[in-house]
Amino acid sequence: MVISLTIDVEDWFQVENFKNYIPLGDWAHKDLRVEKNIHFLLDIFDKYEIKATFFILGWIAERIPKLVQEIYSRGHEVASHGYNHTMCNKQKIKYLKRDLSDSKKILEDIVCQQVYGYRAPSFSIDNNILAVVAECGYFYDSSFNSFRLNKRYGQIDLTHCDKRGVICHVANNKLYELPISNVRLGNCTLPWGGGGYFRLIPFSLFKMGVEYILKRERAYLFYLHPWEIDCEQPRVKEASRFFRFKHYINLNRTLSKLLLFIEAFNGCRFITCYQYLVENYHL
């Protein structure tokens, strides 16, 4: 059984929940905390011999190229999270293509290695957007979250996909899709892939859900943001109560829960997204 740990490399002021309170023009003046948080995660992954996939914003890569190099030099996969965390379905196609191409090139120039994967900000994809992702030279996408109650998440048609484990072959056979892992009970989908749901769900229950997914799929894909282990980050007091709740709930427990998660599933192999594709599709 395999687990793919994925890290969406963005900082506390770049999240969608705070877009109305922290405009892009203010980013350069904010406390950049992502480097410290990523190094903390890298040390944990080294200790447990974990290889992960880091979906990195081009905005961050331009400002901290040594961080991208460090991620790559420690044996992890470098992938794209777009340039400035603008949701795909809020961009015109020509700007989306530029976003996808520019972020890919920035990362490739830093690590001198092809970037294979992409994850859309806030999982904002659909079938048309996936076609653009493929057109921009990506090999796989990991943006589909089947939990439908979050209206930011896009939906794609997987009816005619070739499915092996959690992998679906989409976009006219030019792109592989690695969906976020969720629990399916009949017609009900429960969000079980990480992020705020990981922080909110009691660990014993979350562990049972992961075991259920692994039993059915033999693979599990998990996501986390570096700001989720940083309980000392600045507070955006002007944000709505709802957005503050979503962002700050249980930040002080994330790190301990992550360690519990890693230790609970130490019998599984922790591999990168691209490695999973290589092993399952004999690429």
Side-chain angles (χ1 to χ4, degrees):
M1 294 185 183
V2 298
I3 294 176
S4 286
L5 284 186
T6 66
I7 309 298
D8 292 355
V9 183
E10 60 197 54
D11 219 330
W12 62 274
F13 54 85
Q14 298 172 314
V15 300
E16 194 64 29
N17 287 334
F18 295 156
K19 282 290 175 70
N20 292 332
Y21 313 99
I22 308 177
L24 178 61
D26 290 350
W27 285 9
H29 308 293
K30 296 301 180 182
D31 180 17
L32 196 62
R33 303 175 63 84
V34 66
E35 186 171 14
K36 180 190 72 172
N37 295 327
I38 288 295
H39 275 284
F40 202 90
L41 289 172
L42 288 173
D43 290 343
I44 291 173
F45 294 165
D46 280 352
K47 178 181 178 180
Y48 289 95
E49 299 182 344
I50 287 171
K51 299 305 178 186
T53 298
F54 289 76
F55 292 96
I56 306 171
L57 286 183
W59 190 95
I60 288 176
E62 280 188 331
R63 285 155 181 80
I64 323 176
K66 288 185 178 180
L67 179 62
V68 181
Q69 292 171 342
E70 180 73 10
I71 291 169
Y72 181 72
S73 68
R74 294 213 201 181
H76 303 287
E77 180 185 2
V78 169
S80 171
H81 197 32
Y83 183 80
N84 60 11
H85 209 267
T86 301
M87 291 175 61
C88 295
N89 52 16
K90 292 185 177 180
Q91 300 186 66
K92 293 182 178 180
I93 292 298
K94 66 176 181 179
Y95 296 121
L96 176 60
K97 288 181 179 179
R98 183 186 304 171
D99 182 286
L100 289 163
S101 299
D102 287 354
S103 60
K104 188 173 190 291
K105 185 177 188 306
I106 289 167
L107 295 168
E108 289 178 339
D109 287 347
I110 293 172
V111 299
C112 299
Q113 171 68 39
Q114 183 177 352
V115 167
Y116 297 104
Y118 173 73
R119 173 167 292 157
S122 300
F123 307 123
S124 54
I125 46 87
D126 58 32
N127 283 80
N128 292 330
I129 291 170
L130 287 182
V132 177
V133 174
E135 183 181 341
C136 290
Y138 290 93
F139 187 73
Y140 75 85
D141 173 82
S142 183
S143 305
F144 178 52
N145 191 321
S146 58
F147 181 58
R148 293 178 177 268
L149 294 184
N150 191 320
K151 299 305 179 184
R152 288 177 184 162
Y153 299 170
Q155 297 297 319
I156 58 177
D157 181 12
L158 301 178
T159 306
H160 303 293
C161 292
D162 171 22
K163 192 173 189 305
R164 310 180 195 182
V166 295
I167 303 305
C168 294
H169 202 175
V170 297
N172 297 321
N173 294 332
K174 294 181 180 179
L175 191 76
Y176 291 90
E177 178 64 29
L178 285 77
I180 303 301
S181 294
N182 287 325
V183 169
R184 292 193 62 185
L185 298 173
N187 293 325
C188 182
T189 298
L190 303 177
W192 227 265
Y197 310 112
F198 177 64
R199 290 184 279 126
L200 193 59
I201 300 170
F203 180 74
S204 58
L205 180 60
F206 192 86
K207 178 175 176 285
M208 290 173 59
V210 175
E211 290 171 341
Y212 175 79
I213 293 170
L214 284 169
K215 185 176 181 179
R216 294 187 57 174
E217 306 282 358
R218 302 196 63 77
Y220 173 74
L221 195 152
F222 175 86
Y223 73 95
L224 190 76
H225 307 88
W227 53 262
E228 291 185 281
I229 66 166
D230 184 6
C231 58
E232 298 179 356
Q233 64 187 266
R235 266 26 182 193
V236 184
K237 297 180 180 178
E238 61 269 32
S240 70
R241 288 184 179 180
F242 178 63
F243 286 155
R244 281 185 280 129
F245 172 81
K246 288 179 66 177
H247 187 87
Y248 298 121
I249 184 69
N250 292 337
L251 288 182
N252 60 330
R253 300 178 185 177
T254 310
L255 184 58
S256 60
K257 288 181 75 172
L258 177 63
L259 293 173
L260 283 173
F261 173 80
I262 292 171
E263 291 173 356
F265 295 99
N266 62 3
C268 298
R269 288 191 305 128
F270 287 81
I271 63 176
T272 69
C273 292
Y274 184 68
Q275 185 180 351
Y276 182 91
L277 283 170
V278 169
E279 292 182 2
N280 283 268
Y281 281 87
H282 307 292
L283 304 175

